[in-house]
Amino acid sequence: MRGVMQEKETKNKSFVLRLDADMMNAIEAWAADEFRSTNGQIQWILAEALKKNGRIGKRKGRPLPSPPQ
């Protein structure tokens, strides 16, 4: 199991995200309502926005194929 956790960790990138207090409070409240962590909620929001705008495929994290040129 430990190897799986280490493999998953290497696929995620960490970075600093600055949010104003009102936005952070809203995300924390939404996360609590959905029984998610704040980080999980932010990941879900971003994934949904990327799917909605055709930036990633339906499957988690899969980029859409490039259009033919």
Side-chain angles (χ1 to χ4, degrees), residues 8 23-24 26 48 64:
K8 183 177 172 93
M23 185 179 293
M24 188 63 180
E48 289 299 307
L64 291 174

Side-chain angles (χ1 to χ4, degrees), residues 1-64:
M1 178 87 168
R2 186 168 174 88
V4 173
M5 291 295 289
Q6 287 175 338
E7 182 180 321
K8 183 177 172 93
E9 288 175 19
T10 61
K11 292 182 181 181
N12 292 329
K13 294 187 177 188
S14 298
F15 68 98
V16 176
L17 177 63
R18 290 175 177 76
L19 301 173
D20 65 50
D22 290 339
M23 185 179 293
M24 188 63 180
N25 290 336
I27 292 171
E28 287 173 337
W30 191 5
D33 291 345
E34 300 283 329
F35 302 104
R36 289 189 179 107
S37 66
T38 302
N39 187 67
Q41 189 69 19
I42 292 169
Q43 288 180 316
W44 180 82
I45 292 166
L46 291 172
E48 289 299 307
L50 289 166
K51 285 183 223 172
K52 179 181 175 186
N53 289 286
R55 300 295 178 164
I56 62 172
K58 298 276 184 196
R59 285 192 258 162
K60 187 177 180 180
R62 296 278 174 117
L64 291 174

